[in-house]
Amino acid sequence: MGKLSKPLTLAATCLLATGITAGLATAEEPKRGGTLVMSAPQTPRHLNPAVQSGTATGAPGAQLFAAPLRYDENWEPQPYLAKSWDVSDDGLTVTLNLVEGATFHDGKPITSKDVAFSVKTVQENHPFKTMFAPVQSVETPDDNTAILKLSEPHPALLLAMSSQLLPIIPEHVYGDGQDPKKHPQNSENVVGSGPFKLVEFKRDQHIILERNENFFMEGRPYLDKIVMRIIKDPSARAIAIENGEVHLAAFEQSAQNINRIKKAEGVSATADGYAAIGPIAWLAFNTAREPTSDINVRKAIAYAVDRNFITKAIMLGTAEPALTGIHPGSPFYEKDVEAYDVDLKKANQILEDAGYEKGADGMRFKLFVDYGWPDVKAVAEYVKPQLKKIGIDITVRAAPDFPTWAKRISSHDFDMTWDVVFNWGDPVIGVHRTYQSTNIKEGVIWSNTQSYANEEVDALMEAAGKETDLEKRKELYSKFQKILADELPVYWAYALPYHTFHSDKVGNVPAGIWATSSPLDLVYLK
Amino acid sequence: MEILTLIVKRVSYAAMLLLAVVVLNFILINLAPGDIADTIAGDMGGATAEQMAEIRADYGLDLPLWQQLFRYVSNVMQGDLGYSYFHTQPVTSLIAERLPATLLLVITAQLVALFVGTLLGVLAARKPNGWLSHIVTLIALFGYSAPVFWTGIMLLIMFSLWIPIFPVAGMVDVTIEGGWWSHVLDIARHMVLPVITLSSIFLALYSRLCRASMMEVLGSDYIRTARAKGLSESQIVFKHALKNSLGPVVTLAGLQFSAVVSGAVLVETVFSWPGLGTLALQSIIARDTPTIIGILFFSAMVVIVGNLLTDLVLRLIDPRIRNRA
Amino acid sequence: MNDSTHISTDEPVLRSRHPFVETAEMFFRNHSAVVALVVLVTIVIAAIVGPFFYPTDPFEMVWAPFSPPGAEGFLLGTDYLGRDMLSGLLHGGRVSIAIGLAAALMSVFIGITVGALAGFYRGWIEEVLMRITEFFQVLPTLLFSMVLVALFGASLPMITFAIGIVSWTAVARITRAEFLRIRELEYVTASRSSGATNAKLIFSVILPNALPPIIVQAALMVGSAILFEAGLSFLGLSDPNVASWGQIIGSNRPYILDASYTVTIPGVAIFVTVLAISLVGDGLNDALNPKLRQR
C-alpha cells in the first residue's frame, strides 16, 4: 500500500506551485475576481454532505467544506486539507498530516479532533456504510495529526476521504448534541472549512457563496462569488446557458441539449469529470419471481434490447454503452464480457426452446416494466414496442412519485425496472451493494433488489474489497464482471451522459473525477 | 359593524373548512403506499434498513394512523403545521418563504386580467357585431383555449431564446447591483412572461363576461334615458354602463381564485418561479406529507381570503348588495 | 372552472317554453358557432374513425427518432423514440376527448345531484350539501388532483376521477340557483298541489327547465377537462401506456428546444378542440338565453 501514498516532498511541491496542481494546468494565467453563475437542477435538502449523499448537496457542499484529499482526473489523490498522508504497509494505519493554521469560517482552528469528529459523524449518519466500515478509531496525537486505525485493509478509504464524501465539519458547531441530520446549521449559518462561505440559501431560488478570505490554500479561490441558480427545467437551463445568463451547468444529461450546446457559439459541453460519480442506467430483473427468474428469459430480453439503438438513436450518440455494473470510466471496468448484441431471431429461439409458446395474439407472456426516474422514461417506453417483437407483452408501470416506485422495487414487487445507480468512485461504495447476497433486504432501495445470490460472486467482492494491490484487485473485479454478465441479474445499458455546459469565459472547468462536487477554487472567469 | 359580524362569521367558518382540508388530506396521503423514508433513502443514494426505521420513528410514522392524525391535528390547532421531512425545516417557515412570490404572481395576474379583460369587453360591447368585437373574442378565447403551460413555453422560446429580452427563469437576478429601484425593476422584468401567461387564461373569462353584461346594461331603460338626455357615448359607457356591469365580473373573479392558484402551479413550473407551486410539485413527488398539507392549507386560505375580499369589493361597488345583507 | 357564459340572475325571469327549433335557428344564426361546430364534429369523427384508417400503433417505433414533419412519408414526423406523431395525434385525440367527456359527465352527475337536492329540499340538506360544495370550492383544484393522481397511480380512470371530483362545484351552484328560482314558479306550485311526487317534481318538472345553463356549462367543462388532463400530463402525471394529447406533450417536453413540433402539434390540437368547444358553448348560451334573443 506504500506506493499509493505520496512522499512528503512531492506534496509540498504541489502546495508551493502557485495555484495550479498537476493535470489542471492551463496555458492562460488565471484571473482573480468575478461572480460565477452556475445552474443547479434541484434544490438540495440541506448543505451538509456529511449526513447527506447526492449531487445536489455535493456541489455546494464541496465549496463549503474541505476534505482531507482531492483527486485529479487520473484518479490520483492530491493533498488538500491533509498536506501529506501515509498508509502503513499492512494497510491498517492511515496517518493524515493536516495543513497548519487552517481555520473554519468562524475563525476557529481546524484540528485533528475535527477530523475524528467528521469521520465519526459520517460513519454514524451517512448512507454509505462501507466507506468507513473498517475504521476502528481515529487517534489524535497532536492538533495536526490524525491516525485512522483499521480492522482490515480498505483500499477505498483514500477515495472516501475526498470531495463530498468526507467534509471536515467543526466539532464545536455540529457536536452540540443535536441530531446532525437535522442540525439547523446544515442550511443556514453554515460554518465550513472550504474555499467558499455561505451567504444565502434560498430554496428553489439560489445558493450564494463568497470567497473565504482565510482559505488555507494561499491565493485561492480565484472567484469572488459563486451564484448557484436553481432551475429545474432542462430546457430553461439550456436557454440560460445559451443566452449567457448562466456560465456553468453541471450534471446535464438531456441528449438533445448536449448536442445543441455543442453546436452553439461561445459555449461548450464536456463529458469530462464524471468518472467517480459513475451513473449507470440499467434494466434490473427480479430473479426471485417467474418468469424473470429463468435465465433464458433474461438472456432473450438482453438479445432483444438494442443497446446500440439506445445509445445512438435515443441518446443521440451522447451516451457511452455500459456492459457491466462498473462504470466505463472506472479503472476496474472490464469491457471483454458478453455484450448481447441485438439478435431478435436468437432471442425468439431462446424463448421457443425454453418452452414459452406464442399464444393466439402472438404473445408469450406479460411483464411489467417500472421506472423510477424521468431520466429513464424514454428507454422504459422503448422496451414496450421492442419486446413485442419477441412476443413479450409489456406494460409500462409509471410511478408518479419516487416513494411509490421505491416501495415496489424494494419490496420485490416487480418484474423488471429501469434504474440509474451510481458507482460513487470505488466499487466497494457503490457497486457491491446491488449484488451481495447478504444485502437482499426488504424495504431498502438500491440494496440487492434483484435477489441475486451467487457464492462465488460474494467471495470475489469480499476479496476485492480488501485487496491492496491494484492489479490483483483489477483481476478480481474482472472475474466478478464476467460472471455477472453471464448470469444477467441486470441488463446494463449505458452510462448516463452527464455533461458540463460552460461558457467559453470560464477557465479551469472542473475536470477531476467528481465534476462540480469538488472544490471550485481554481475556476476563474476570463 | 355589519361588515364586522360578517367577517367574524366568515372567519370562524373558514377555520372549519381549513380543518376539513387538513384532516381529509392527511388520511388520503397516508393511505398511499410508500412514505418519506423511501424518499430520503432515494435522495441520499440509498440507506440501510436501520436508518429507514430510525427516520420513521423520528417522524412518528411507526405509530398507528389515528394517533398520527390526532397528533398532527392538535398541532395544527396550535398553529404548528409540522416539520418538513424533506427540507428539514418547519413547514410554516418554508411556506412563508414562498407565499409572497406566489401572491405577487397571482394578484398581479388577476389585476392585469381584470383590467385588460374589462377594457376589451367594453370595447367589444360597444359594437357587438363589429370586427373589433370578433377580434377581441378570438384573442380572449386563444388564452382560454391553449393549455397554459404551452402558452408559457411558447413565450419562453420566443422571448428568452429567439429574442432574448426576458430572463428564462426565477424571480430575481442576484448578480444585479444597485439601489432598491433596480431590484424592483429586475423583479418586474422577471414577472412579465409569467404574468402574461397566467392572466391569459382569465382574460378570456372577464372580457367575455364584461361584454355580455355591458350589452345587457346598454340595452336597459335607464341607458336609453341617458342617451335621450344627450349624454356623450363615452360618458354613457364608462360612467353609467361600466359601473353597473362590473358586479358580475368581480363576482366571477372571486370565484376564480382556486383556478388561479391551480394555473400558478403550472406557470411556476414553466418559469421556475420560486412560489408555492414549485414547492407543491416537489413535495408531492417526495411524499413530504406535512409540506403537501401545509400548501393545501395555505392555498385554501388564499382562496377563502380572496372570496372574502371579493365580497367586500362587491359591497363597495354595488350598494344593492349592501342593503340586501 | 368556467362558468362565465351563464349569466345567472336571481331576478325571476319568466321563461316560456323554448321550442327546440327556435333554439337551433338562433344557434345557426351565429356564424362562428356554426364554423366551430363543423370543426368540432370533424375532430370528433377523426378521433373516432381515424385510428381505423390509420392503424399504426402510436407506440410502435416506425422510423428514426426526431424526423421532422413531412420527412420520409411521416406527415407529422416522429418523436424521441421514432414513433409516428400522426398516429399519436389520432389515437391520442380519442383518449383526450374521452377523458374530457367522462370527466365532464361525472361532474355534471355529481353537480346536478348535489345542486338539485340542495335547491329542492332546502333546510339542513341544503346546508350540508352547500358546505361540501364550498369545501371543494376552496380546495385548489389542480393541487388536489395532483395529490390524488400521484398517490393512487396515473391510470386513465384515476385521472378522470381526479378531474371530475374537483370540477363539479360550478354545476352544483348553477343547478341549485335554477332550482331555487323554478321551484317558486306557478307551474311548479300547480303540479305540487295536484299531488306530484317529489321525484316527479325534480326530474320531470323542474330539471328540464333548469337544463339550458347546465348544458352550456357541461359543454365548456369538456374543454376544461381536456386542458386539465394536459396540465397533469405536463407535470408528469400521465399513463405512459395510453397516448393522449396531454401525454404526448408531457413526454416530449424535454425535447422542446430542437423538436418543438412534437409539442406544438398536440398543443395546437388541444387548442383548436377547446376553442371549438368554447365557441359552440357560446353559441348555445346565446341561443338558450332568452334575454339576448329579445334583442
Side-chain angles (χ1 to χ4, degrees):
Chain A
M1 189 70 194
K3 60 176 131 171
L4 265 183
S5 69
K6 288 253 164 195
L8 260 168
T9 43
L10 178 58
T13 336
C14 280
L15 265 183
L16 286 174
T18 47
I20 302 161
T21 47
L24 288 167
T26 48
E28 280 175 77
E29 184 71 18
K31 246 174 43 191
R32 281 179 71 91
T35 299
L36 177 79
V37 183
M38 296 171 63
S39 67
Q42 48 174 320
T43 295
R45 287 182 66 215
H46 58 72
L47 305 174
N48 185 355
V51 294
Q52 168 80 34
S53 163
T55 53
T57 299
Q63 315 318 317
L64 293 167
F65 297 97
L69 305 174
R70 58 203 288 173
Y71 269 70
D72 67 12
E73 71 269 37
N74 302 317
W75 294 81
E76 289 293 333
Q78 303 290 333
Y80 193 25
L81 192 54
K83 62 184 178 188
S84 65
W85 59 97
D86 184 63
V87 182
S88 68
D89 286 335
D90 61 3
L92 296 178
T93 307
V94 178
T95 309
L96 299 174
N97 301 301
L98 304 182
V99 172
E100 273 143 46
T103 55
F104 286 109
H105 294 169
D106 61 358
K108 301 227 169 82
I110 302 175
T111 70
S112 54
K113 294 226 167 43
D114 296 302
V115 174
F117 173 72
S118 304
V119 171
K120 190 172 142 255
T121 307
V122 172
Q123 258 184 328
E124 285 171 2
N125 299 292
H126 201 282
F128 299 161
K129 290 292 166 204
T130 48
M131 288 198 299
F132 296 98
V135 176
Q136 299 287 28
S137 63
V138 182
E139 288 169 12
T140 52
D142 64 60
D143 276 358
N144 296 308
T145 314
I147 304 169
L148 285 74
K149 295 282 189 190
L150 280 69
S151 59
E152 57 179 32
H154 187 49
L157 184 65
L158 289 185
L159 194 75
M161 290 198 295
S162 75
S163 176
Q164 69 182 81
L165 297 179
L166 181 59
I168 300 306
I169 57 175
E171 182 169 16
H172 62 269
V173 175
Y174 297 97
D176 59 0
Q178 298 189 62
D179 180 352
K181 288 197 289 297
K182 292 199 285 181
H183 202 286
Q185 278 175 279
N186 287 346
S187 298
E188 45 192 65
N189 303 321
V190 174
V191 179
S193 46
F196 292 92
K197 297 197 282 194
L198 180 68
V199 178
E200 186 180 57
F201 170 26
K202 276 204 155 173
R203 285 185 174 73
D204 281 0
Q205 289 200 55
H206 53 246
I207 302 167
I208 304 175
L209 308 168
E210 64 176 6
R211 184 214 311 272
N212 171 12
E213 297 292 349
N214 301 315
F215 186 49
F216 57 83
M217 298 183 96
E218 198 55 40
R220 294 200 211 158
Y222 298 137
L223 294 167
D224 286 339
K225 238 185 185 184
I226 296 179
V227 173
M228 298 184 174
R229 284 180 61 189
I230 294 154
I231 306 175
K232 291 179 182 172
D233 186 75
S235 309
R237 287 199 301 276
I239 297 177
I241 278 278
E242 266 187 74
N243 71 14
E245 279 181 56
V246 165
H247 301 126
L248 182 77
F251 295 98
E252 293 293 341
Q253 48 168 308
S254 147
Q256 274 235 331
N257 291 344
I258 292 169
N259 287 342
R260 183 184 175 86
I261 297 295
K262 275 186 179 158
K263 274 183 269 166
E265 267 177 52
V267 289
S268 314
T270 166
D272 293 343
Y274 296 93
I277 310 284
I280 300 175
W282 72 41
L283 179 64
F285 299 106
N286 188 346
T287 66
R289 188 155 110 173
E290 295 274 331
T292 41
S293 54
D294 184 346
I295 177 84
N296 293 309
V297 171
R298 304 205 293 269
K299 287 206 164 154
I301 291 173
Y303 278 119
V305 175
D306 187 352
R307 194 185 272 117
N308 199 40
F309 182 86
I310 293 177
T311 54
K312 294 277 167 11
I314 300 180
M315 302 309 294
L316 304 175
T318 58
E320 205 180 337
L323 302 181
T324 83
I326 296 182
H327 191 268
S330 162
F332 300 110
Y333 181 62
E334 174 59 75
K335 63 180 189 318
D336 291 323
V337 298
E338 174 61 63
Y340 302 98
D341 291 328
V342 65
D343 189 341
L344 291 175
K345 232 171 119 185
K346 194 166 175 181
N348 265 312
Q349 195 58 48
I350 292 175
L351 290 177
E352 207 69 46
D353 294 347
Y356 298 97
E357 301 288 331
K358 276 192 182 176
D361 58 348
M363 292 296 168
R364 303 175 198 276
F365 50 83
K366 284 177 191 291
L367 281 181
F368 282 109
V369 63
D370 287 273
Y371 67 94
W373 308 84
D375 323 333
V376 283
K377 181 171 186 275
V379 279
E381 289 174 353
Y382 158 77
V383 298
K384 185 183 165 88
Q386 187 66 15
L387 293 186
K388 197 177 163 191
K389 294 177 186 165
I390 60 166
I392 302 179
D393 187 3
I394 295 286
T395 305
V396 182
R397 266 203 304 191
D401 64 357
F402 186 83
T404 311
W405 173 79
K407 194 94 208 160
R408 273 182 202 158
I409 306 307
S410 65
S411 54
H412 309 137
D413 172 27
F414 73 103
D415 297 324
M416 305 192 280
T417 183
W418 276 98
D419 195 358
V420 177
V421 180
F422 289 27
N423 271 192
W424 290 111
D426 196 284
V428 168
I429 304 174
V431 177
H432 288 196
R433 52 181 176 163
T434 47
Y435 307 99
Q436 280 166 328
S437 65
T438 50
N439 203 27
I440 302 175
K441 285 186 174 153
E442 179 82 16
V444 181
I445 193 67
W446 299 315
S447 59
N448 183 352
T449 46
Q450 292 74 247
S451 306
Y452 171 73
N454 180 328
E455 279 175 27
E456 196 186 352
V457 169
D458 283 344
L460 282 170
M461 279 187 281
E462 166 109 32
K466 284 192 286 210
E467 181 54 62
T468 53
D469 183 282
L470 188 63
E471 285 313 311
K472 282 188 193 153
R473 208 171 167 220
K474 278 186 184 169
E475 258 170 55
L476 290 167
Y477 278 127
S478 159
K479 209 165 167 197
F480 161 79
Q481 291 169 75
K482 281 182 173 154
I483 298 177
L484 285 180
D486 272 342
E487 306 206 322
L488 274 178
V490 167
Y491 173 80
W492 306 275
Y494 60 97
L496 218 60
Y498 275 150
H499 273 68
T500 304
F501 297 167
H502 61 89
S503 146
D504 294 344
K505 277 191 276 185
V506 181
N508 279 339
V509 174
I513 54 173
W514 290 114
T516 47
S517 291
S518 62
L520 301 177
D521 53 344
L522 293 167
V523 177
Y524 65 96
L525 286 170
K526 289 173 194 165
Chain B
M1 199 49 222
E2 165 208 318
I3 285 193
L4 208 69
T5 33
L6 176 90
I7 290 177
V8 169
K9 224 168 97 186
R10 291 293 278 288
V11 165
S12 55
Y13 177 54
M16 270 161 54
L17 272 182
L18 288 174
L19 191 68
V21 168
V22 167
V23 172
L24 175 83
N25 284 290
F26 188 91
I27 295 173
L28 209 58
I29 294 173
N30 279 290
L31 286 179
D35 61 25
I36 187 73
D38 294 307
T39 308
I40 294 179
D43 196 64
M44 305 228 297
T48 63
E50 294 74 36
Q51 282 171 328
M52 292 184 64
E54 191 191 320
I55 295 168
R56 292 203 173 96
D58 213 17
Y59 294 122
L61 300 179
D62 48 351
L63 299 175
L65 182 60
W66 67 269
Q67 273 185 32
Q68 289 186 46
L69 177 65
F70 183 75
R71 213 165 73 161
Y72 184 74
V73 169
S74 57
N75 282 343
V76 170
M77 302 263 234
Q78 292 158 36
D80 176 11
L81 281 171
Y83 190 82
S84 160
Y85 312 145
F86 191 76
H87 293 283
T88 63
Q89 248 199 340
V91 171
T92 0
S93 71
L94 200 60
I95 290 176
E97 254 179 45
R98 307 301 192 88
L99 196 59
T102 295
L103 285 180
L104 185 65
L105 177 66
V106 163
I107 292 173
T108 318
Q110 270 279 49
L111 290 178
V112 168
L114 262 176
F115 183 75
V116 180
T118 313
L119 200 70
L120 290 180
V122 170
L123 289 178
R126 290 182 65 175
K127 285 200 181 107
N129 290 315
W131 57 272
L132 187 67
S133 174
H134 287 300
I135 289 182
V136 165
T137 316
L138 274 181
I139 293 177
L141 282 174
F142 180 90
Y144 170 74
S145 306
V148 59
F149 58 87
W150 188 74
T151 315
I153 294 174
M154 294 297 145
L155 286 175
L156 197 66
I157 290 182
M158 275 189 263
F159 296 109
S160 291
L161 186 67
W162 294 348
I163 319 166
I165 43 175
F166 292 115
V168 62
M171 187 168 81
V172 287
D173 179 352
V174 285
T175 58
I176 278 197
E177 314 269 330
W180 62 270
W181 52 270
S182 58
H183 289 285
V184 170
L185 220 66
D186 175 49
I187 293 183
R189 214 167 71 86
H190 281 83
M191 276 175 72
V192 174
L193 294 183
V195 165
I196 292 179
T197 311
L198 186 54
S199 53
S200 72
I201 328 173
F202 303 100
L203 198 66
L205 298 188
Y206 303 154
S207 65
R208 281 198 317 182
L209 182 58
C210 183
R211 167 174 159 261
S213 131
M214 275 293 278
M215 280 162 63
E216 206 173 316
V217 174
L218 283 176
S220 64
D221 289 341
Y222 78 97
I223 293 291
R224 272 183 224 131
T225 322
R227 280 218 177 88
K229 277 201 283 184
L231 289 179
S232 78
E233 192 62 23
S234 61
Q235 252 180 319
I236 291 173
V237 168
F238 290 102
K239 259 192 144 166
H240 298 274
L242 182 57
K243 214 180 136 200
N244 284 299
S245 15
L246 265 184
V249 179
V250 173
T251 312
L252 177 67
L255 288 172
Q256 293 304 316
F257 266 98
S258 161
V260 182
V261 171
S262 297
V265 175
L266 294 168
V267 173
E268 286 182 9
T269 309
V270 172
F271 292 99
S272 308
W273 189 260
L276 283 184
T278 39
L279 184 68
L281 184 61
Q282 189 177 347
S283 311
I284 289 174
I285 287 170
R287 192 72 60 78
D288 192 354
T289 314
T291 314
I292 301 173
I293 298 177
I295 292 169
L296 285 167
F297 181 88
F298 270 90
S299 329
M301 200 137 94
V302 169
V303 176
I304 290 173
V305 172
N307 289 347
L308 189 59
L309 287 179
T310 313
D311 263 20
L312 295 180
V313 170
L314 273 179
R315 268 151 203 280
L316 287 178
I317 60 169
D318 192 346
R320 281 176 302 177
I321 297 181
R322 207 180 314 162
N323 299 337
R324 212 184 293 163
Chain C
M1 168 164 170
N2 167 9
D3 45 23
S4 64
T5 33
H6 169 57
I7 303 147
S8 158
T9 44
D10 285 341
E11 306 148 30
V13 178
L14 263 182
R15 201 189 286 245
S16 54
R17 308 278 156 130
H18 316 129
F20 177 76
V21 187
E22 205 178 316
T23 308
E25 243 170 42
M26 190 67 198
F27 182 86
F28 282 104
R29 238 181 278 164
N30 183 339
H31 299 300
S32 53
V34 174
V35 173
L37 186 65
V38 172
V39 172
L40 191 60
V41 169
T42 315
I43 292 173
V44 171
I45 290 176
I48 293 172
V49 303
F52 293 113
F53 289 101
Y54 198 85
T56 311
D57 183 345
F59 286 101
E60 196 184 319
M61 297 174 293
V62 292
W63 197 247
F66 301 120
S67 306
E72 313 294 345
F74 295 103
L75 198 59
L76 299 180
T78 61
D79 73 353
Y80 59 99
L81 283 181
R83 300 178 294 200
D84 188 347
M85 289 294 298
L86 177 59
S87 160
L89 200 69
L90 290 173
H91 287 81
R94 209 186 236 190
V95 174
S96 284
I97 294 172
I99 291 181
L101 281 174
L105 217 64
M106 176 178 161
S107 318
V108 170
F109 180 76
I110 302 178
I112 288 186
T113 311
V114 170
L117 290 179
F120 185 82
Y121 287 105
R122 320 254 1 220
W124 66 269
I125 295 181
E126 182 183 29
E127 188 73 12
V128 169
L129 289 175
M130 288 334 276
R131 291 297 165 262
I132 294 174
T133 311
E134 260 172 77
F135 172 77
F136 278 95
Q137 240 170 296
V138 301
L139 211 55
T141 46
L142 184 64
L143 283 177
F144 188 64
S145 306
M146 279 161 71
V147 171
L148 285 178
V149 177
L151 296 186
F152 299 103
S155 61
L156 281 192
M158 194 64 224
I159 292 170
T160 310
F161 175 80
I163 298 172
I165 195 72
V166 296
S167 316
W168 56 268
T169 53
V171 180
R173 275 202 329 271
I174 294 171
T175 312
R176 171 172 162 270
E178 288 294 297
F179 265 67
L180 287 180
R181 185 175 63 77
I182 298 173
R183 76 195 288 270
E184 306 299 339
L185 295 183
E186 228 171 281
Y187 63 88
V188 180
T189 14
S191 11
R192 196 192 294 268
S193 53
S194 70
T197 60
N198 281 348
K200 186 172 186 248
L201 281 175
I202 293 178
F203 289 110
S204 46
V205 181
I206 307 183
L207 191 57
N209 288 291
L211 273 182
I214 299 174
I215 290 171
V216 173
Q217 180 64 25
L220 293 172
M221 214 135 58
V222 177
S224 42
I226 292 176
L227 288 175
F228 208 124
E229 190 264 341
L232 285 174
S233 299
F234 169 74
L235 297 171
L237 301 169
S238 63
D239 185 342
N241 297 292
V242 187
S244 73
W245 288 337
Q247 187 263 345
I248 297 173
I249 295 184
S251 308
N252 283 290
R253 177 187 167 209
Y255 314 102
I256 181 130
L257 289 187
D258 290 284
S260 54
Y261 63 92
T262 55
V263 172
T264 314
I265 291 169
V268 168
I270 293 178
F271 167 64
V272 172
T273 310
V274 178
L275 182 63
I277 293 174
S278 306
L279 289 174
V280 170
D282 264 8
L284 273 178
N285 187 50
D286 289 354
L288 292 170
N289 193 327
K291 274 200 193 163
L292 285 174
R293 191 176 301 178
Q294 287 157 13
R295 298 191 46 157

